[in-house]
Amino acid sequence: MPTDMVPENPAYRIVEIFESLQGEGYNTGMPAVFIRLGKCNLACPWCDTDYRTFGMMALHDILGRLNAYTARNIIITGGEPTIQPHLPVLLDALKHAGYFLCMETNGLNPAPPQIDFVSASPKARYAEKYGKQCIQTASEVRIVADGDVLAFARQIEQQIRAAHYYLSPCEQNGEMNIYDTIRQIGILNSRANRPVHWQLSVQTHKWAGIE
């Protein structure tokens, strides 16, 4: 099959599909259906998603599954959505169905034009990669503070134009480095000529006991 041909009913690597509330960032509390896609182009040791375990689901089956939910917002997440084959076909179908589309991405690749709200989460441990290629605009930036991320945050605020910038604590072995995260936010915001204002974003869905 020629590489430029797309199957009529392509299949996607689906880790899970579920309805919940957005727990992080600017849209915290927003009712949404999460479509979590498999595989990633990074490998962060603290990642809380088993993106290597997935099943294949055809487009028509995904659309049928969505009929069981009431939320009209969809969050495409992963893994890394931008590396999913035939992603534009899925997004076109979702837009045609009238959904508001959000995407959570690590920000190495551009977000598709169908996305209404882009949440970019660059990873400090891969700072060298982001120095070579990086998304240029996003709705929000969320950096996980998995150590000293001050230099990386300063790098990203120059590379990615966004309406909102957040640091998020890193949870490892059941412990969250909340103190160090807010300390770094204070340092970033205490600069005399800071170009952006950084805020705290936490995984409130874990506190609420929901997915």
Side-chain angles (χ1 to χ4, degrees):
M1 178 182 295
T3 57
D4 59 348
M5 292 186 65
V6 178
E8 181 180 345
N9 187 29
Y12 297 89
R13 301 185 289 248
I14 300 295
V15 175
E16 57 184 343
I17 299 176
F18 62 95
E19 186 173 23
S20 187
L21 302 177
Q22 171 61 285
E24 305 175 72
Y26 181 77
N27 289 322
T28 293
M30 181 183 73
V33 178
F34 291 74
I35 300 178
R36 190 178 301 280
L37 301 172
K39 293 195 176 182
C40 190
N41 51 355
L42 299 179
C44 303
W46 41 261
C47 182
D48 58 3
T49 296
D50 187 8
Y51 55 82
R52 296 183 182 89
T53 301
F54 55 84
M56 301 302 295
M57 184 179 291
L59 173 62
H60 294 171
D61 294 328
I62 294 173
L63 297 177
R65 176 79 170 271
L66 295 177
N67 291 330
Y69 304 120
T70 59
R72 300 303 298 169
N73 308 299
I74 289 183
I75 297 177
I76 310 291
T77 185
E80 174 50 42
T82 63
I83 65 172
Q84 186 77 203
H86 311 309
L87 182 63
V89 178
L90 172 61
L91 299 181
D92 284 342
L94 296 175
K95 291 298 289 185
H96 181 74
Y99 288 102
F100 181 83
L101 300 185
C102 307
M103 175 175 285
E104 297 181 339
T105 172
N106 59 36
L108 283 174
N109 300 321
Q114 298 93 332
I115 300 300
D116 301 296
F117 189 95
V118 179
S119 179
S121 182
K123 304 303 189 287
R125 66 186 296 110
Y126 295 101
E128 186 175 349
K129 284 182 178 288
Y130 288 94
K132 297 176 182 177
Q133 69 176 70
C134 184
I135 195 171
Q136 295 183 336
T137 61
S139 305
E140 68 178 5
V141 167
R142 299 200 313 250
I143 295 177
V144 175
D146 58 339
D148 183 346
V149 298
L150 292 172
F152 185 65
R154 291 192 293 267
Q155 170 188 332
I156 290 300
E157 66 188 13
Q158 298 297 326
Q159 290 182 272
I160 304 178
R161 298 189 306 276
H164 311 280
Y165 294 81
Y166 299 95
L167 286 193
S168 300
C170 183
E171 183 177 349
Q172 298 188 77
N173 302 317
E175 295 191 7
M176 192 178 296
N177 63 338
I178 185 69
Y179 175 83
D180 189 55
T181 302
I182 61 175
R183 180 188 64 83
Q184 293 190 68
I185 291 174
I187 293 173
L188 289 168
N189 288 337
S190 66
R191 294 171 294 167
N193 297 311
R194 67 179 188 274
V196 305
H197 180 77
W198 290 85
Q199 301 177 79
L200 175 68
S201 175
V202 295
Q203 294 180 311
T204 60
H205 51 283
K206 293 185 176 179
W207 292 354
I210 59 177
E211 283 192 270

